[in-house]
């Protein structure tokens, strides 16, 4: 259960790192393409866009979502999303993705872009819940672009 969502900052690096240590190697590989996330990766994540933390009732990070204009296209924002293994399949990822999409829309974006493994069915389902989506295959991965609704 998600108790709250708040914006993350550099003071949250240790909390985000602890969150990644609670995630399974398979979950990290699916999101990051590797099984370990370094502090410098978290610092880059925070610098590249706007990051939110989904918190449980005890204040532990259960979800991290980031949006930013990484692709260089002015009206396209990229989305990164990681949900702790124990909280998957509870709607938290969809809630955080909707939160990020609303932020992207209010920031002038018309499209949300995600590059993920083609086998990442939970993420693909979340994206299709956000709005009309197109998929472009890239080998074992796929780029999904979601048109943000006004």
């Amino acid at each position: 259960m998600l108790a709250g969502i708040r914006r993350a900052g550099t003071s949250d690096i240790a909390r985000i790192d602890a969150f990644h240590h609670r995630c399974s190697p398979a979950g990290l590989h699916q999101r990051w393409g590797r099984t370990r996330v370094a502090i410098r990766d978290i610092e880059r994540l925070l610098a590249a866009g706007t990051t939110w933390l989904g918190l449980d009732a005890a204040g532990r990070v259960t979800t991290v979502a980031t949006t930013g204009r990484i692709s260089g296209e002015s009206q396209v924002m990229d989305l990164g999303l990681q949900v702790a293994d124990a909280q998957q399949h509870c709607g938290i990822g969809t809630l955080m993705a909707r939160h990020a999409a609303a932020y992207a829309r209010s920031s002038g974006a018309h499209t949300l872009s995600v590059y993920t493994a083609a086998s990442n069915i939970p993420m693909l389902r979340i994206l299709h819940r956000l709005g009309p989506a197109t998929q472009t295959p890239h080998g074992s991965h796929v780029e999904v672009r979601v048109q943000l609704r006004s």
Side-chain angles (χ1 to χ4, degrees), residues 12-91:
D12 293 304
I13 290 173
R15 294 178 81 194
I16 297 168
D17 186 48
F19 161 75
H20 285 124
H21 283 284
R22 290 191 311 273
C23 292
S24 69
L28 291 173
H29 189 269
Q30 194 167 45
R31 164 65 181 93
W32 291 89
R34 57 188 182 278
T35 59
R36 186 170 172 273
V37 179
I39 295 295
R40 72 178 177 279
D41 297 320
I42 298 168
E43 291 168 343
R44 285 186 202 132
L45 181 78
L46 292 170
T50 303
T51 299
W52 296 274
L53 305 178
L55 306 170
D56 65 13
R60 284 189 343 163
V61 176
T62 62
T63 314
V64 176
T66 301
T67 58
R69 288 185 166 83
I70 299 168
S71 66
E73 298 175 66
S74 64
Q75 293 185 318
V76 177
M77 282 196 164
D78 293 323
L79 169 68
L81 180 66
Q82 178 93 40
V83 179
D85 297 14
Q87 280 76 31
Q88 292 182 3
H89 309 291
C90 298

